[in-house]
Amino acid sequence: EVQLVESGGGLVKPGGSLRLSCAASGFTFSSYSMNWVRQAPGKGLEWVSSISSSSSYIYYADSVKGRFTISRDNAKNSLYLQMNSLRAEDTAVYYCARDGGQWLVGGYWGQGTLVTVSS
Amino acid sequence: QSVLTQPPSVSGAPGQRVTISCTGSSSNIGAGYDVHWYQQLPGTAPKLLIYGNSNRPSGVPDRFSGSKSGTSASLAITGLQAEDEADYYCQSYDSSLSGHWVFGGGTKLTVL
């Protein structure tokens, strides 16, 4: 069974940093591209970042480019999102999602981790 | 402002059929990129409902169907049930200068 478990969320002050993790199991992690998607309170889904299976290709939404860094450790079956210079508008539930090919962001999703940016 | 446009809400009585539209442009749906649909029940993570325009993952009832034509796509739900009350999102890829993976704004389905 595919499982994705996010961790690392919490309350952080504007300008602060946070590192999210996503532990994957139930599939060959190193064979899949992975994505981060976020959802602000009461709002819709927003794609944040993608990383290919071997980390060769990395993409970011304009809203986080230059502030967020996606990475992965295939030996540890883990996906990461380093978030720096956080803003109030980054407040959201962050989901880890397994790419499904055909430009599909999320064949499988984690339960999400809440990031709150507030003073 | 989402790249893909969905109606904010739709509603229907149990047993009825409802459709949710997803309108894009020549840089996404119209460019031939597949459309996918997700269902998000209250307080839960999104779940893949339709992939590749019209394919259902195993376990998804055949009451749910998807279609795509030109720059638009649609999700149809027949035999509406109370448990279908949720938010529905379409998703595709956009090839414009700053585009990447894009979502619709979401549609809240209310079962009357």
Side-chain angles (χ1 to χ4, degrees):
Chain A
E1 179 195 2
V2 172
Q3 281 204 316
L4 299 168
V5 180
E6 301 93 337
S7 61
L11 175 63
V12 61
K13 289 182 169 51
S17 298
L18 214 54
R19 189 196 197 206
L20 305 184
S21 298
C22 172
S25 61
F27 65 100
T28 305
F29 181 72
S30 59
S31 296
Y32 289 86
S33 294
M34 297 293 295
N35 301 289
W36 287 100
V37 176
R38 69 184 180 182
Q39 185 171 34
K43 302 297 184 183
L45 301 172
E46 179 189 16
W47 168 79
V48 173
S49 183
S50 291
I51 185 168
S52 63
S53 57
S54 59
S55 304
S56 299
Y57 300 97
I58 288 175
Y59 305 96
Y60 298 99
D62 287 348
S63 56
V64 306
K65 198 176 296 182
R67 301 186 299 122
F68 289 11
T69 301
I70 191 173
S71 63
R72 64 190 295 162
D73 186 334
N74 287 343
K76 294 183 177 179
N77 290 341
S78 292
L79 175 71
Y80 307 101
L81 186 68
Q82 176 67 42
M83 303 185 297
N84 299 331
S85 303
L86 282 162
R87 306 166 179 166
E89 54 265 36
D90 295 319
T91 294
V93 174
Y94 285 74
Y95 295 103
C96 159
R98 193 186 88 173
D99 196 277
Q102 297 175 264
W103 313 106
L104 171 63
V105 164
Y108 293 89
W109 299 67
Q111 85 289 349
T113 187
L114 176 62
V115 172
T116 303
V117 184
S118 175
S119 55
Chain B
Q1 198 82 351
S2 301
V3 173
L4 304 178
T5 301
Q6 297 180 234
S9 63
V10 297
S11 62
Q16 284 190 334
R17 178 182 187 269
V18 297
T19 62
I20 298 172
S21 61
C22 175
T23 303
S25 67
S26 58
S27 63
N28 41 68
I29 299 175
Y33 294 105
D34 284 344
V35 178
H36 317 286
W37 292 90
Y38 303 90
Q39 178 192 59
Q40 187 175 33
L41 297 169
T44 70
K47 168 194 157 188
L48 181 62
L49 193 65
I50 296 287
Y51 69 94
N53 305 315
S54 58
N55 301 292
R56 285 185 309 277
S58 62
V60 173
D62 59 7
R63 301 185 297 104
F64 295 90
S65 63
S67 64
K68 172 189 162 183
S69 178
T71 58
S72 296
S74 288
L75 172 70
I77 310 172
T78 58
L80 209 54
Q81 299 181 3
E83 67 217 45
D84 298 333
E85 188 158 294
D87 293 322
Y88 293 84
Y89 295 90
C90 61
Q91 180 256 306
S92 186
Y93 184 85
D94 190 279
S95 59
S96 63
L97 199 59
S98 60
H100 288 295
W101 292 263
V102 290
F103 286 93
T107 299
K108 169 68 177 177
L109 168 62
T110 300
V111 181
L112 301 170

